[in-house]
Amino acid sequence: MKKASLGSRAFDVFNVVIMLFILIVVLYPILNIIATSLSGTRYISSGSVTIWPKGFNLEAYTTVFQDPYIFKGYLNSIIYAAGSTGIMLLFTALMAYPLTIPGFAGKKFLTIFLMITMFFGGGLIPTYLLMRGLNLLDTVWVMILPGAISAYNVFLFRTFFLNIPSELKDSAYIDGASDLVVLFRIILPLSKALFATFALFGLVGSWNSWFEALIYLRDQDKYPLQMVLRNYLFTLDTTAIQGRVGGGAVAINAPGEALDPKAVRMSVIIITMFPIMCIYPIFQKHFTKGIFVGSIKG
């Protein structure tokens, strides 16, 4: 067995140190937020909470779940994330597959059209006027349809489809299969890693988005969970939080026996993060494979 050189070992040590530094930088804020949400008011007010809860209690979570907008936000975010991701995957596959067919009449035009949209965007105001002209403002569809097709995603899908052996498609055509049958019965089942990767991208992107809701939605009952979180962090003062969760459970003047508003805000952050932290391990295997395949063939 060849012995590692001094330079190689020094490089490994350097990598480990850098990775540990990045791990601490990423992990410390998360642990601090979790600890604060689970700590007592006295310890939060004194600023003594670091990465471990002090004066452990769950009152912040029980208080937050009294806010009806939390549950509405959860339901809306699930609808927006599932709807936008499903439509994005379907429409992107339908757009990308014709571009892989030799001799397809509109292939060159569609390719140029998609490339133009990669370099020139409509901008915020024209997009808003378009949504208003389509009567989509303050509707569920304004959170789902605008991201249905991305030129970048279409080109990645096309590249992936092109690398599936053409003999499989030729065999299906000889047996009388149509293009749609080839797409849905052969191409898509062989593209699970690609779909899992972009499903994860779509779900995370939709779940974390709040700007579109801020621009396009007026009805608070349609707000996604991230807008509820934004209101807790930047818009609602302590008195307003008292009104949202009911009663006098939250302290207006921080020190005291009542719940600290900071604990409420931290618990809302954890509640919004929890679903993404749960689904990531499910997609991780396909996600790693999809990124690897794309890096070679893209």
Side-chain angles (χ1 to χ4, degrees):
M1 183 175 177
K2 187 177 180 181
K3 190 175 180 180
S5 65
L6 179 61
S8 176
R9 281 181 288 176
F11 183 72
D12 291 341
V13 171
F14 177 76
N15 275 341
V16 170
V17 171
I18 292 296
M19 290 299 110
L20 286 175
F21 175 75
I22 294 174
L23 179 66
I24 293 171
V25 169
V26 172
L27 205 56
Y28 179 80
I30 298 175
L31 294 177
N32 180 256
I33 290 171
I34 295 173
T36 302
S37 69
L38 295 172
S39 296
T41 300
R42 182 157 54 93
Y43 299 99
I44 297 173
S45 302
S46 63
S48 60
V49 179
T50 53
I51 61 174
W52 301 109
K54 292 185 177 180
F56 182 86
N57 76 67
L58 295 171
E59 193 177 353
Y61 290 92
T62 57
T63 302
V64 165
F65 281 118
Q66 296 176 38
D67 182 356
Y69 287 106
I70 291 289
F71 294 102
K72 291 178 182 175
Y74 250 111
L75 178 61
N76 291 334
S77 287
I78 291 171
I79 293 173
Y80 299 153
S84 61
T85 303
I87 287 179
M88 181 270 289
L89 293 175
L90 175 63
F91 280 68
T92 302
L94 289 174
M95 187 81 182
Y97 181 64
L99 300 180
T100 67
I101 300 175
F104 175 61
K107 184 160 62 175
K108 186 174 182 181
F109 169 77
L110 287 176
T111 302
I112 295 174
F113 180 77
L114 288 170
M115 288 185 68
I116 290 174
T117 66
M118 292 180 68
F119 297 105
F120 302 98
L124 178 60
I125 294 176
T127 305
Y128 178 87
L129 294 176
L130 176 63
M131 296 298 115
R132 190 179 67 176
L134 295 173
N135 293 321
L136 292 178
L137 293 182
D138 213 20
T139 67
V140 173
W141 295 109
V142 78
M143 300 295 294
I144 294 177
L145 293 180
I149 292 181
S150 160
Y152 178 79
N153 292 350
V154 170
F155 288 128
L156 283 181
F157 273 53
R158 184 196 64 174
T159 303
F160 192 94
F161 293 164
L162 283 172
N163 285 280
I164 294 175
S166 60
E167 291 81 3
L168 295 173
K169 292 181 282 186
D170 294 339
S171 300
Y173 285 130
I174 291 172
D175 290 339
S178 64
D179 288 327
L180 283 178
V181 171
V182 172
L183 174 62
F184 285 99
R185 301 288 294 275
I186 296 177
I187 302 298
L188 298 190
L190 293 174
S191 307
K192 289 179 181 176
L194 177 74
F195 274 75
T197 302
F198 280 84
L200 183 61
F201 285 155
L203 289 172
V204 173
S206 177
W207 189 269
N208 289 333
S209 68
W210 57 270
F211 186 71
E212 291 80 2
L214 179 69
I215 299 298
Y216 299 134
L217 297 180
R218 293 292 175 268
D219 186 357
Q220 289 195 41
D221 288 339
K222 295 188 177 75
Y223 278 178
L225 193 58
Q226 296 299 332
M227 271 297 289
V228 179
L229 171 62
R230 178 184 178 276
N231 288 341
Y232 267 95
L233 295 180
F234 302 114
T235 305
L236 299 179
D237 56 15
T238 305
T239 307
I241 293 177
Q242 274 190 319
R244 291 285 288 267
V245 300
V250 181
I252 292 180
N253 299 309
E257 295 301 324
L259 192 59
D260 193 301
K262 187 176 181 181
V264 176
R265 292 187 173 108
M266 296 302 108
S267 62
V268 176
I269 292 175
I270 298 301
I271 289 170
T272 58
M273 291 168 53
F274 184 73
I276 294 299
M277 294 171 69
C278 290
I279 67 168
Y280 184 78
I282 300 174
F283 286 90
Q284 185 179 14
K285 180 179 69 176
H286 296 295
F287 176 75
T288 306
K289 185 178 178 183
I291 291 293
F292 179 70
V293 171
S295 65
I296 291 177
K297 298 177 180 178

